[in-house]
Amino acid sequence: MQAGLESLGIAVPPTYVELAELARARGVAPGKYVDGLGVTRMAVPLVEEDTVTLAARAARMAMEAAGCTAEDVGMLVVGTETAVDHSKPVSSYVQGLLGLSTRCRVFETKHACYGGTAALLLAMDWVRSGSAKGKKALIICSDIARYGVGTPGEPTQGAGAVALLVSDKPKLLAFEAGKTGAYAKDVMDFWRPLYSKDAVVDGHYSVQCYLDALEGAYRAYQEAAEDAGGEGAYSDRFAALVYHVPYGKMSRKAHRHVRTLDGDKEPDASFDRLVGPSLVLPSQVGNIYTGSMYLALASLLSCSREELTGKRVGLFSYGSGSCAEFFSAVVQPEAQARVKALGLENLLEKRRALSIPEYEAIMAAREKLDDKPAEETPGEGFRYQGTRDHKRIYAR
Ligand code: HMG
C-alpha cells in the first residue's frame, strides 16, 4: 500500500526581526548573519503564541487543504523539543483545540529536531501495514527555537510549525518504503536542561556532528536502496535534496559534503539546482527545529520552477544528541500547484517587522509566561492566555 503526504500546513508568527538590524544592534557586520549564515529574517513569536497554538494553526491549514474532517484523523503526533509540560503532551491540547475524535491515538515525540521525522516514519508504517484502516495520521512539528539574547546562537533562532497529513492517498509526496538510512550517536552538541528555556549549544561541534550524521545516514540509505553503481554522482538520482536547515549556510555545507562523498570535484556547482529552492522560505523564518526540514520541503514544492512530478526528492533530517535519517519520496502530480495554492510566500510577506527593543521585550516576557495568570487576550484564532489553577488556558 502507498503512503505519503496528502497535504501540509504551515504556521509562523505574524512578527519577525530583520537579521541585518539584529547584527547592527550586536555590533556585528550584517554580512555575517545574512551571507555568512544565510538567514534574512527570523520569526519571533508573540507572547500569546506557543508550541500548542502554532501546532493547531498549522494542523488546521493541512486539514482544510485536504478537506479532512476531525473524524478522519486516527493518529495525532506532535514532534517537539519545546513542549509546554513535562507530562501532558502538546498533542492533547491540540486534539482539544481541533475537536478531534476520542478514538484517536494521541501522543508527543521528542528527539531534538528529529522528533517529527520519527513520528512521520512511524505513521507511514501505520498506514502501509493496514492498521490505519483508511484513517489519516496528523503529524505536527512545532517549536520555538531559543538560544538567548546576545549568544552566538541568537541569529539562528526562529519559531513555527509544519503539519503533515499522512494517508494512503498521497497527493504531494509518496514515500519510498524501505528506502531510509538511519544514523544515531550519543553526542553533546546541543541540549536544553530542564531548568532552562534556552538551548545550550557547542555550536561549531554541532556543525561537525551534523555532517558526521549526514555521512552515516547517506551511506546507510545507499545500502538500503540497493541501487549501487551507475554513472555520475549518486546524488544526481534526486531531482532535489532537502536538508535540515538550522540556517541556510548549513544546507550548503551539507550539500558540499554529500557531493564530496560522491566524488564530485566541484561540490558547490549543483547547489542552486538541487538545493536552492528549498531555502527560499527557511531564509525568511530561521530555525524552527522539528519543522525546519519540512518548511524546506514546502519551500521546494512552492518555489521550484522545475516540473518535479514523478521525480525523486532526497530528505535529510538531523536531531542533535543525535539521530538522523536520510530517506526519499516521489513528487505526485499537481503537488506543486497544491502547495503554491497555500500562498506561503504571501503569508511570510504579510508579517510585521519588530524593532530590536520590541524583540528583546518579548524574549524577557517569555521567561515568565508559564505561570502568568490567565487573562482575556484580544485577537482571533488559537491564543495562549495564561494559567488558572496550574492549567494552561487557550482561546480558540
Ligand atoms: P559564530 O561562531 O558566531 O559564527 O557561530 P562563525 O564565526 O562560525 O561565522 C559564521 C559564518 O559567517 C562563517 O562562514 C564565516 O566565515 C561567515 P563558514 O566558515 O561557516 O562558511 N562570516 C561572514 N560572512 C560574510 N560577511 C561577514 C562574515 N563574518 C563571518 N562579514 C554558529 C555560528 C552556527 C556556530 C552559531 O550561530 C550557533 O551556535 N548556532 C546554533 C547551533 C546550530 O545551528 N548548529 C547547526 C548544526 S546542529 C543542528 O542543526 C541541530 C539543531 O537544529 C538543534 C536540534 O537538533 O534540535 C541546532
Side-chain angles (χ1 to χ4, degrees):
M1 187 186 292
Q2 269 204 325
L5 291 193
E6 186 170 333
S7 67
L8 60 79
I10 307 272
V12 289
T15 37
Y16 67 88
V17 158
E18 284 290 355
L19 279 195
E21 205 177 313
L22 181 66
R24 281 189 282 274
R26 299 290 174 257
V28 169
K32 174 171 176 181
Y33 292 175
V34 178
D35 305 319
L37 294 175
V39 193
T40 313
R41 292 175 174 173
M42 171 177 101
V44 176
L46 298 172
V47 291
E48 64 263 26
E49 294 179 292
D50 67 7
T51 305
V52 171
T53 61
L54 289 167
R57 279 173 48 208
R60 183 176 271 178
M61 184 192 279
M63 289 174 70
E64 282 177 5
C68 167
T69 68
E71 293 302 317
D72 295 334
V73 179
M75 189 194 290
L76 165 65
V77 194
V78 176
T80 183
E81 55 178 294
T82 51
V84 295
D85 191 292
H86 289 311
S87 175
K88 178 166 169 155
V90 168
S91 46
S92 289
Y93 289 104
V94 173
Q95 181 201 10
L97 290 175
L98 297 177
L100 298 190
S101 163
T102 51
R103 297 203 168 178
C104 188
R105 186 180 287 165
V106 174
F107 59 99
E108 181 182 295
T109 50
K110 181 184 81 171
H111 186 136
C113 298
Y114 175 77
T117 298
L120 175 68
L121 295 175
L122 187 112
M124 224 60 83
D125 288 341
W126 179 68
V127 169
R128 283 190 196 111
S129 69
S131 297
K133 295 195 166 60
K135 297 272 185 192
K136 302 171 199 298
L138 186 53
I139 308 302
I140 314 173
C141 307
S142 183
D143 275 301
I144 295 177
R146 270 181 65 119
Y147 296 94
V149 169
T151 64
E154 184 182 24
T156 63
Q157 298 177 125
V162 182
L164 308 164
L165 195 67
V166 173
S167 77
D168 57 1
K169 295 176 193 60
K171 295 195 173 131
L172 303 183
L173 289 185
F175 287 84
E176 300 193 284
K179 287 197 176 184
T180 66
Y183 175 92
K185 189 172 180 194
D186 177 9
V187 289
M188 288 302 281
D189 62 333
F190 165 106
W191 62 103
R192 191 164 64 84
L194 289 177
Y195 53 79
S196 175
K197 276 213 182 309
D198 299 342
V200 186
V201 62
D202 187 343
H204 292 280
Y205 177 55
S206 74
V207 171
Q208 192 52 51
C209 291
Y210 176 121
L211 295 176
D212 291 346
L214 171 59
E215 183 168 341
Y218 186 53
R219 293 288 190 223
Y221 174 88
Q222 289 175 23
E223 277 178 38
E226 293 177 337
D227 58 355
E231 299 272 301
Y234 185 88
S235 53
D236 277 331
R237 295 169 195 210
F238 303 96
L241 288 159
V242 180
Y243 301 100
H244 168 55
V245 198
Y247 51 94
K249 177 64 93 52
M250 189 68 235
S251 290
R252 185 176 280 279
K253 288 178 196 279
H255 188 64
R256 192 176 289 157
H257 196 59
V258 159
R259 296 299 287 198
T260 304
L261 292 171
D262 281 350
D264 188 345
K265 298 279 182 291
E266 289 182 65
D268 283 334
S270 57
F271 179 80
D272 289 345
R273 175 173 58 89
L274 290 176
V275 188
S278 70
L279 298 181
V280 178
L281 302 182
S283 72
Q284 305 283 315
V285 176
N287 195 356
I288 58 169
Y289 288 161
T290 47
S292 289
M293 191 196 74
Y294 300 99
L295 181 63
L297 174 63
S299 180
L300 168 73
L301 295 174
S302 186
C303 304
S304 176
R305 297 218 177 96
E306 191 185 332
E307 172 58 58
L308 294 170
T309 300
K311 296 187 180 164
R312 175 177 291 128
V313 173
L315 300 139
F316 174 67
S317 175
Y318 176 71
S320 285
S322 65
C323 189
E325 198 123 357
F326 192 102
F327 53 114
S328 58
V330 175
V331 180
Q332 300 301 292
E334 292 177 34
Q336 288 165 278
R338 286 176 199 277
V339 177
K340 263 191 194 25
L342 297 174
L344 300 178
E345 285 171 272
N346 199 21
L347 189 87
L348 297 190
E349 265 319 302
K350 284 195 319 215
R351 297 173 301 165
R352 178 172 77 83
L354 293 171
S355 68
I356 301 303
E358 279 179 301
Y359 149 70
E360 288 174 356
I362 289 175
M363 289 292 276
R366 287 207 89 79
E367 283 299 321
K368 303 184 193 89
L369 283 183
D370 285 337
D371 55 0
K372 172 183 99 73
E375 58 188 356
E376 290 289 316
T377 47
E380 289 175 2
F382 304 121
R383 295 182 315 284
Y384 171 64
Q385 297 187 310
T387 63
R388 196 175 302 132
D389 301 330
H390 303 286
K391 296 172 189 155
R392 291 179 85 88
I393 309 291
Y394 289 93
R396 286 153 200 250

